[in-house]
Amino acid sequence: METMQIEKTSRKGIVLFSEYVAGSAIRKAVKIGREEVLFELRDSKLKGRGGAGFPTSTKWMITAAASAPKKYIVCNADEGEPGTFKDRVLMMEHPEIVFDGMVIAGYTIGAKTGILYLRGEYYYMLEFLENHLSGMREKNLLGKNIIAKEGFDFDIQIRLGSGAYVCGEETALIESLEGHRGEPRNRPPYPVNTGFMGCPTVVNNVETLASVPHIIMKSGKWFSEYGTDKSTGSKLFSVSGDCENPGVYELPWGMTITEVLDIVGAKNTKAVQVGGASGICLSHAQFNRKLSYEDASTGGSIIVFNESRDILHILQNFMEFFVEESCGQCTPCRIGNVKLLEGVKKLRNGNYTFAEIRNLRELGQTMQVASKCGLGQSSPNAFLSILDNFSAEVFQYTSSDKHNGVNNE
Amino acid sequence: MNSKTESRAPVSQQALRVQQPFDSSQIGAMVTIEINEKKMQVPLGTTILEACAQNQVQIPTLCHHKDLCTAGVCRICVVEVDSMKTLQAACAFPITQQIKIKTSTEKVRKARRHIIDLLLSEHYGECYTCVRNKNCELRSLASEYGVDGFTFGHPEKRKHDIDKSSFSVMRDMDKCVLCRRCVRTCIDLQEVGVLEAVGRGDQTHITTFMGKPLSEVICINCGQCVNRCPTGALYTNDPSDDIWRAIDDKKKHVVIQTAPSPRAAICEEFGMAAGTSLTGELNTALRRIGFDRVFDTNFAADLTIMEEGTELLNRLKSVVVDKDTSVKLPQFTSCSPGWVKFIEHFYPEYLDHLSTAKSPQQMFGAVTKTFYAQEYNINPEDIVTVAVMPCSAKKFECNRPEMDSSGFKDVDYGLTTRELAKMIKEGGIFLPEMPKSGFDDPFGEASGAGLIFGATGGVMEAALRTAYELVTGREVPFEKLRIEACRGFEGIKQASVKLKNCVPDYTFLEGVDLKFIVAHGTANARQVMEMLKAGELNDVHFIEIMACPGGCLGGGGQPIPTSPEIRKKRAEAIYAEDESMTIRKSHENPRIKYIYEKFLTDGPCGHKSHKLLHTHYTKRGNFIV
C-alpha cells in the first residue's frame, strides 16, 4: 500500500475543532452512566449530521431500550454526496473524537460491536484508521473491560463500501454490510428495531458521533447554546466551487449564505447548491436564507457557482449522477430520473413544450413523495429548485411561440 | 405429523419482508385505524394493503404477490398516512400504531398515474400480439387508473433479443417492468436462484448468471416465474403451431393425453371461477379440433404407481432381507421433471435415491408408440404424441435425449394448460358449453389414484392405496380411502403407516412402520435434502416431491394468476373427481391389468418395463449436461 503523508493542519473551531483529550469523554461517560449520557444528548438537541436531521438522542434511546442479545453501532462514513468532504477531514485529523463517540454510543446503547462503514474511495485511510484503533486497544479504550470497567466490552471493525452512492442510505448501508446488493429496505421497521443482521442498530454519521465526546465533556446545554433553536451546535461545511478559499469550515448553524460566501471569498456568485446533488439550488435572491435544518438544510455540501456557469449544464450533471446512482429498485427513482434528465437535455437545446416541462415538474413532486428512500425523494430537488429559481435562464432557449398559453412563473 | 412451515427466505431476501420487532400474534393486540375516514380495528402488524382488502378498499398492486415476500419496489400501491411526510407503500407498511390512511387523494392518484406512465415509457408493449393480451396486470392498471396517453413516451423499438434458448421458458426483457416477482420466486419461493437483478440505476435489469441464455444456467424449468410475471416478459415455449401442422397433416395420427391438473384448471381460461373440472367437455373439444385419439394421462399415472410401487417394495426387500447396502432408501418420486432437474443440479450425489420410473407423461409416450401402435396396427413413425400438462418442465423432459425408448421421440410435444386453451379458442370452441364425452381406448380407463397425482401428496396417497393392499391384502384403513396425512398444502408433511398381518410374499415387512414424507416446492425439497444429508431421514422409506407449490395443480403451465386460494380450489376439484370414480386404486384399473397381461408380460419392473418405462439420470451439478 502506498504510504501517505498525513499533514495535520491545526484547525480551530467552536465544537468539533475545539480542544479534546483522547479517551477523556469515554471515562466521563462511564462515570456519569448511561442515563446521564442520554440526558446530555437530549439537552444538546443534537440532530443527525448526514442531512436527515433525526434527533440523535431519540435514536439512541430507542436502541438502548430495546432488549436484544446483540446490538450494533454503525458509523456511516460512506461520504458520497457530491461536494462533501468533511468526514474525510474529521477522520484524518480527529479520528479520536469519531471513535470515542462510537465507544460512548456502544456503552450507552449496550452494543458490543461498532462498525465503521468506510467509503470505498477512502481506502487510503484504512491503514491510518486501523493504526488508530490498535492504539486505542493498547490504551484499553477498546476491547474487553474498557478503562477497567467490568463488562464494558466494545470493539470497532472497519468495512469498506464499493462505491455505490445509495449505500449512504442507512438501510442500504446495512444491506451492503450484510454482503448483499446495496438496496434500501422498506421502512418501517427502522434500523433501531431491525437493523444489521436483524438486530437493533444505530446508524450515525461521522460528524454526529464526533460531536458526542464534546457534548459529554462540556455538557449538552453548552452545545445547544450554539446555532439556532432548532439547529443546535456547529456544522462542518464542505465548501467547493467558485471561491478563493474552498475547504472545510466549522461554523455555527444559522449563518446566512451571504455570510458564508464572504468567509470563503466567493465573488460574482450566481448560484449556490446547498446539500449536494440531492440539495437545492439557490439564486441571489435567496442568499439571505439561513443554513439550518429549518431553512436551507444541508449535510455539509455547499457548492458555489459564479456568473460564468451554465445552470442547465450544472443540472444535467446532477441528473446524470442520479440516473446512474439510483439503486434501480423503485419505479419513481429508476425511471423518473431518466425522464428528468431527458427534460434537461430538451431544455438545453430548446426542443420542448411547456406542457412537457409541467409534466416533469409534477413527476418530480411525485418522486419526492413516492420513492422508496431518501435518494429518490431528494433527487428531483435540484431540478425543481433550478426551474423555480432560474426560470429566466432555464427557458432562454425557447421562442415565444412555444409558450402554449401555459403560465411559467 | 411434523411440519416445518417457518420462513425459508434466504438472507438476501429477508430484508424485503415486512418485519416487526416482535411477534404480535402472541399478544393478539388490535390497533384502531382510520381508512378514508372510516374507523376500524386490525391486528397489530397487519399491512395497510391487508387492512384495505379486509375493508373492501381496492389498492392497485404490481410487485406484490400473495405467494412472495414483500418487495415494496413498484410503488403503485402508495397511500397517504397522516403521520408521514411521504406516501407509503401499502404492501410494505405494517400497522403498529393508530394511523389515518387515505387511499385515493389527489397526491396518491397522481403518483399512481405517474408510476404507470413511467413503466409504460420503458415497456415495449406490443399488446395485440402479446401472449398476455387481456391478462396483463400492467395493461389492467393502465386502464383502471386513468392512463390516457404516453406522457413520458413509449419505446418503439426493441432493445433486447428474446431469449428463446430454453425448451420451457422464454424471456422477453423488453416487457420486463422490474417488479422482481420472478427474482423472488426463483430465489425465495423455489430456492433455485437463477434470476437476479443486476446493474444499478437505469442499467438495472433481471438476468441470469453472467447474462447467459436460460438454457445454459441451472434453471429447473418449473415456470413458477412465468406464473407470477405480471406482463408478457416471461412465457412458455408454445408448440401449438407445430401441433396444428400435425393435425392438418392427414398422414399423421395425432394423439393427445390430458393430465388431471389442466382439466381442473382450464375452466379459469374461459372466465369461470377456479375449481371446476371440465374433463368430459375437454375430451369433446379436443376431438372437435382434430385430435385423432384422446387418452387419459391417469392411465399412465396408474402405470407409474405399479412400477414405482414395485420398485419401492423391491428396494425394501433388498435392504431388509438381502441387506444390500448399494440399494438406497428413502426412495424419491420422479414424476416431477422440475424436481428431477433440481436434484440433478443441486444434489447429484443422491440420484440413487430417485425412482428410476419415468413420469406418467413419458411412460405414456413410450407405450403409445409401442403397445398402442402394435395393437391398432399404426406405424409409430406416423404417431404424434401430445401431452397436455400443467407444467413447463414437461417440455424439457420430453426433449431429454434419453426419452426415446420406443425407438422414436416418446412424447413429441408438451403443451401447457394455457396453450391448450388458446388452441381451443382458435378452434372456435367455447369449452364450458361442450357436451361431455369419455376417453378413447385402450388408455381410456383410469383410477382415482392416478387422478390425484395432480395435487401434492397425491402420488404418495395413490402409492399407499396400492402398496398397502399388495403387502397386507387389505384396503388402506381410511374412510373413503382418504389418506388425510397426504393432503393439504403444508410445506413438508411426515407420517407413517404400520404394516401388520402381511401376506406371505411380504412377511419381511411385518410390523414395519412405513414412513413417508411429502414435500412440494423446491424450497421445501431443499430442506428435505438437507435433512437427508444430516442423517435425519435414515428411517424414512418413501418421499414424494413436487417441484411446484401445491403440486402439479400449481404448475408453471397453469392459468395465470395463481394464489394459495386458487390452488386450494383446484385441489378440491381434483379430490372431488377422485371420489366420483368407481375405480380408486391403480392396481384395480382393468386396462393396467390388460397391459401387463398382453404387453409388459414380465410384470412391473420386469425386463420390458425397464426398457420402456424406466430411465436414468444425469449428475449435472453446476453444469448443464
Side-chain angles (χ1 to χ4, degrees):
Chain A
M1 180 182 164
E2 274 178 63
T3 48
M4 273 259 326
Q5 276 296 340
I6 313 292
E7 224 176 283
K8 274 211 173 187
T9 52
S10 54
R11 296 173 199 267
K12 290 269 182 291
I14 44 178
V15 178
L16 291 163
F17 293 143
S18 65
E19 292 295 313
Y20 175 73
V21 181
S24 56
I26 301 178
R27 290 192 177 84
K28 189 171 175 195
V30 170
K31 208 171 104 198
I32 62 176
R34 292 191 169 85
E35 285 83 4
E36 279 304 314
V37 171
L38 289 171
F39 290 151
E40 288 297 342
L41 216 52
R42 187 191 59 194
D43 294 346
S44 75
K45 299 192 221 164
L46 174 65
K47 288 181 180 174
R49 293 313 198 219
F54 190 79
T56 308
S57 62
T58 311
K59 216 181 228 184
W60 285 27
M61 279 178 193
I62 298 171
T63 321
S67 62
K70 275 189 182 171
K71 298 179 191 176
Y72 294 92
I73 162 81
V74 175
C75 175
N76 183 349
D78 190 57
E79 189 169 44
E81 190 63 54
T84 318
F85 40 88
K86 56 164 183 97
D87 294 345
R88 184 181 77 197
V89 168
L90 266 179
M91 287 187 289
M92 289 305 279
E93 296 178 10
H94 295 285
E96 71 281 358
I97 49 172
V98 178
F99 289 130
D100 284 8
M102 284 180 78
V103 176
I104 294 167
Y107 169 72
T108 310
I109 64 168
K112 300 248 178 278
T113 310
I115 302 168
L116 180 83
Y117 186 87
L118 189 65
R119 175 173 194 202
E121 289 88 338
Y122 288 172
Y123 177 69
Y124 66 89
M125 286 188 208
L126 186 61
E127 194 178 286
F128 169 75
L129 295 173
E130 289 285 10
N131 287 343
H132 186 87
L133 290 176
S134 304
M136 286 177 78
R137 285 184 197 108
E138 276 162 28
K139 289 180 207 141
N140 190 221
L141 294 173
L142 281 178
K144 292 223 178 275
N145 302 326
I146 292 172
I147 56 162
K149 163 102 176 158
E150 193 65 31
F152 180 14
D153 303 341
F154 185 78
D155 212 328
I156 296 173
Q157 314 165 1
I158 301 178
R159 306 273 187 91
L160 282 165
S162 306
Y165 170 73
V166 72
C167 288
E169 199 277 345
E170 57 178 359
T171 58
L173 185 153
I174 289 170
E175 282 284 292
S176 166
L177 272 183
E178 290 182 3
H180 309 139
R181 201 179 143 80
E183 288 183 339
R185 298 175 173 178
N186 289 305
R187 295 142 52 100
Y190 299 95
V192 287
N193 292 320
T194 311
F196 179 60
M197 305 308 273
C199 303
T201 304
V202 165
V203 184
N204 279 151
N205 181 261
V206 174
E207 192 184 342
T208 316
L209 286 166
S211 306
V212 171
H214 290 288
I215 292 169
I216 299 301
M217 293 311 288
K218 294 163 198 153
S219 89
K221 194 166 167 301
W222 163 83
F223 183 86
S224 70
E225 277 163 6
Y226 294 102
T228 72
D229 193 33
K230 284 180 179 160
S231 313
T232 56
S234 69
K235 178 80 187 92
L236 295 187
F237 295 102
S238 323
V239 186
S240 60
D242 299 320
C243 60
E244 277 166 19
N245 302 305
V248 174
Y249 292 83
E250 179 176 13
L251 301 169
W253 280 113
M255 291 187 98
T256 62
I257 300 204
T258 311
E259 284 171 311
V260 175
L261 290 176
D262 281 348
I263 292 171
V264 300
K267 294 192 183 74
N268 296 328
T269 306
K270 174 160 93 177
V272 176
Q273 177 79 11
V274 181
S278 65
I280 48 172
C281 195
L282 301 179
S283 66
H284 213 277
Q286 294 137 311
F287 286 174
N288 59 347
R289 284 180 67 174
K290 286 180 175 171
L291 292 166
S292 60
Y293 290 111
E294 60 271 29
D295 190 357
S297 179
T298 171
S301 169
I302 294 190
I303 309 174
V304 184
F305 300 105
N306 68 20
E307 295 291 350
S308 71
R309 307 290 169 182
D310 174 353
I311 202 80
L312 285 173
H313 186 215
I314 294 166
L315 180 55
Q316 181 169 341
N317 190 347
F318 287 146
M319 291 324 300
E320 280 168 356
F321 175 78
F322 285 118
V323 165
E324 195 175 316
E325 291 295 343
S326 161
C327 81
Q329 198 182 177
C330 78
T331 314
C333 178
R334 182 185 69 242
I335 314 180
N337 282 312
V338 173
K339 298 301 159 191
L340 295 191
L341 175 61
E342 282 171 11
V344 175
K345 286 182 179 164
K346 284 184 173 178
L347 283 168
R348 285 192 82 185
N349 59 30
N351 175 27
Y352 63 92
T353 65
F354 276 95
E356 267 176 339
I357 300 305
R358 189 187 51 204
N359 280 339
L360 289 177
R361 186 190 286 273
E362 288 187 352
L363 173 65
Q365 288 157 356
T366 286
M367 290 164 68
Q368 286 180 323
V369 293
S371 296
K372 185 166 178 175
C373 80
L375 196 166
Q377 287 161 11
S378 59
S379 61
N381 288 350
F383 181 90
L384 294 173
S385 59
I386 284 174
L387 251 57
D388 284 344
N389 299 336
F390 299 89
S391 54
E393 190 180 339
V394 165
F395 296 107
Q396 65 178 310
Y397 300 108
T398 190
S399 52
S400 56
D401 59 351
K402 282 194 172 163
H403 277 260
N404 293 341
V406 179
N407 181 30
N408 159 52
E409 354 1 76
Chain B
M1 208 43 110
N2 160 8
S3 76
K4 296 193 175 177
T5 48
E6 72 266 29
S7 142
R8 296 172 318 270
V11 187
S12 64
Q13 294 288 306
Q14 276 171 5
L16 302 178
R17 285 175 180 271
V18 178
Q19 288 172 338
Q20 280 180 259
F22 55 89
D23 181 6
S24 61
S25 64
Q26 301 284 328
I27 55 174
M30 300 292 281
V31 192
T32 308
I33 56 161
E34 245 178 54
I35 299 178
N36 299 336
E37 289 170 0
K38 192 178 150 229
K39 270 203 172 132
M40 59 195 70
Q41 284 212 319
V42 293
L44 191 71
T46 310
T47 62
I48 293 179
L49 184 67
E50 288 164 345
C52 288
Q54 283 161 22
N55 291 285
Q56 293 78 46
V57 177
Q58 287 264 336
I59 305 276
T61 56
L62 186 66
C63 70
H64 176 80
H65 194 280
K66 276 187 176 175
D67 289 325
L68 304 174
C69 65
T70 307
V73 297
C74 75
R75 314 305 287 177
I76 192 80
C77 68
V78 286
V79 295
E80 250 182 81
V81 175
D82 64 340
S83 55
M84 318 285 284
K85 270 190 277 182
T86 54
L87 302 178
Q88 300 298 316
C91 69
F93 193 99
I95 298 168
T96 53
Q97 51 187 318
Q98 300 194 344
I99 50 172
K100 290 178 183 160
I101 301 156
K102 292 214 166 109
T103 64
S104 172
T105 60
E106 189 199 355
K107 217 185 197 176
V108 169
R109 289 196 314 271
K110 233 178 205 167
R112 285 180 186 159
R113 199 181 284 197
H114 275 139
I115 287 161
I116 300 168
D117 282 338
L118 288 176
L119 289 171
L120 292 178
S121 79
E122 303 256 290
H123 175 79
Y124 181 70
E126 31 162 26
C127 297
Y128 294 122
T129 56
C130 181
V131 62
R132 293 291 294 275
N133 191 358
K134 292 176 86 182
N135 186 17
C136 168
E137 292 181 43
L138 184 62
R139 206 177 148 179
S140 307
L141 284 174
S143 82
E144 285 164 28
Y145 288 87
V147 171
D148 50 9
F150 297 123
T151 313
F152 303 117
H154 192 58
E156 314 215 319
K157 271 195 215 135
R158 283 196 167 277
K159 281 193 208 152
H160 311 278
D161 291 332
I162 302 175
D163 177 2
K164 295 182 174 176
S165 63
S166 163
F167 283 118
S168 302
V169 179
M170 317 291 244
R171 297 173 65 233
D172 180 357
M173 287 302 103
D174 280 322
K175 291 179 188 163
C176 175
V177 292
L178 287 165
C179 68
R180 303 197 187 186
R181 280 189 191 171
C182 57
V183 175
R184 281 173 287 149
T185 302
C186 203
I187 293 184
D188 177 34
L189 188 75
Q190 293 292 71
E191 292 194 14
V192 174
V194 161
L195 300 172
E196 180 55 294
V198 170
R200 219 189 323 156
D202 63 337
Q203 303 296 309
T204 312
H205 60 291
I206 308 296
T207 189
T208 57
F209 176 67
M210 304 287 284
K212 292 182 178 214
L214 207 55
S215 61
E216 291 176 28
V217 293
I218 52 174
C219 171
I220 63 165
N221 306 309
C222 68
Q224 291 300 308
C225 52
V226 177
N227 280 8
R228 286 167 185 80
C229 180
T231 69
L234 292 167
Y235 55 98
T236 46
N237 187 357
D238 186 351
S240 52
D241 281 349
D242 293 338
I243 296 169
W244 281 123
R245 241 191 311 279
I247 289 173
D248 294 338
D249 186 341
K250 291 283 166 276
K251 256 179 42 198
K252 296 286 180 198
H253 181 77
V254 188
V255 305
I256 187 163
Q257 49 162 318
T258 69
S261 292
R263 282 144 38 181
I266 198 164
C267 62
E268 296 162 37
E269 290 286 334
F270 292 87
M272 293 170 70
T276 312
S277 278
L278 296 179
T279 311
E281 291 85 344
L282 192 58
N283 290 342
T284 313
L286 291 173
R287 286 192 190 91
R288 288 201 187 170
I289 62 175
F291 286 99
D292 295 303
R293 291 284 182 281
V294 184
F295 294 142
D296 189 350
T297 303
N298 297 345
F299 160 80
D302 286 335
L303 202 54
T304 303
I305 287 299
M306 297 307 291
E307 294 294 328
E308 203 166 315
T310 309
E311 185 187 351
L312 176 67
L313 293 172
N314 289 347
R315 283 190 193 223
L316 280 167
K317 184 158 180 286
S318 301
V319 170
V320 177
V321 181
D322 310 335
K323 311 280 180 213
D324 184 347
T325 50
S326 70
V327 173
K328 296 282 189 280
L329 280 177
Q331 175 183 311
F332 284 101
T333 60
S334 58
C335 316
S336 166
W339 152 241
V340 169
K341 192 146 186 273
F342 182 86
I343 190 174
E344 284 180 335
H345 279 306
F346 295 100
Y347 298 94
E349 66 275 26
Y350 290 96
L351 280 174
D352 289 345
H353 288 262
L354 203 55
S355 163
T356 57
K358 284 182 185 173
S359 70
Q361 163 179 293
Q362 292 307 128
M363 285 195 183
F364 214 116
V367 295
T368 304
K369 291 197 178 177
T370 52
F371 173 64
Y372 171 72
Q374 252 173 49
E375 287 259 303
Y376 288 74
N377 206 13
I378 304 167
N379 183 355
E381 227 171 285
D382 293 332
I383 299 180
V384 175
T385 49
V386 180
V388 178
M389 292 287 150
C391 183
S392 51
K394 290 281 175 198
K395 295 171 187 287
F396 174 85
E397 187 187 30
C398 73
N399 283 299
R400 279 176 178 258
E402 65 270 25
M403 293 298 179
D404 60 350
S405 44
S406 63
F408 305 91
K409 190 179 173 191
D410 291 341
V411 174
D412 292 290
Y413 304 108
L415 189 68
T416 65
T417 315
R418 295 190 296 270
E419 292 152 1
L420 176 64
K422 213 186 78 190
M423 283 185 79
I424 292 174
K425 286 175 189 167
E426 195 175 351
I429 289 166
F430 184 64
L431 183 66
E433 287 176 356
M434 282 291 105
K436 294 184 189 198
S437 63
F439 290 99
D440 290 314
D441 279 339
F443 307 132
E445 234 166 326
S447 74
L451 208 143
I452 56 173
F453 264 53
T456 168
V459 177
M460 183 61 68
E461 183 165 348
L464 287 175
R465 285 181 192 171
T466 290
Y468 186 89
E469 200 164 320
L470 283 182
V471 172
T472 66
R474 302 182 305 276
E475 265 192 354
V476 282
F478 299 102
E479 192 204 343
K480 292 189 180 168
L481 301 178
R482 289 177 191 154
I483 309 181
E484 294 291 348
C486 296
R487 301 188 181 186
F489 288 142
E490 232 174 294
I492 298 173
K493 293 169 287 209
Q494 282 194 42
S496 60
V497 187
K498 195 127 189 141
L499 300 173
K500 280 186 290 193
N501 303 326
C502 297
V503 297
D505 278 356
Y506 293 105
T507 45
F508 67 93
L509 289 174
E510 184 64 39
V512 166
D513 215 10
L514 191 69
K515 284 197 174 169
F516 57 87
I517 290 180
V518 173
H520 59 115
T522 43
N524 290 312
R526 189 181 280 279
Q527 205 174 322
V528 169
M529 292 312 293
E530 290 302 320
M531 286 155 75
L532 181 70
K533 246 183 168 171
E536 293 167 27
L537 305 180
N538 291 340
D539 57 343
V540 176
H541 302 104
F542 195 25
I543 299 181
E544 178 205 301
I545 292 185
M546 292 293 157
C548 293
C552 304
L553 55 85
Q558 290 282 67
I560 298 170
T562 182
S563 72
E565 294 79 34
I566 292 174
R567 294 196 292 274
K568 190 162 168 271
K569 292 276 178 219
R570 292 177 190 161
E572 283 165 9
I574 285 175
Y575 285 118
E577 205 179 340
D578 164 40
E579 298 208 355
S580 74
M581 307 283 283
T582 39
I583 307 166
R584 305 275 309 280
K585 291 171 272 184
S586 301
H587 58 280
E588 288 179 357
N589 181 349
R591 290 289 158 187
I592 290 291
K593 291 179 185 167
Y594 182 74
I595 197 171
Y596 280 111
E597 274 166 26
K598 282 277 183 182
F599 185 64
L600 303 165
T601 42
D602 41 4
C605 291
H607 181 71
K608 199 157 188 182
S609 74
H610 254 288
K611 186 175 171 290
L612 283 178
L613 307 182
H614 289 253
T615 184
H616 57 272
Y617 304 104
T618 311
K619 284 191 178 173
R620 293 176 199 265
N622 292 332
F623 302 97
I624 302 312
V625 182

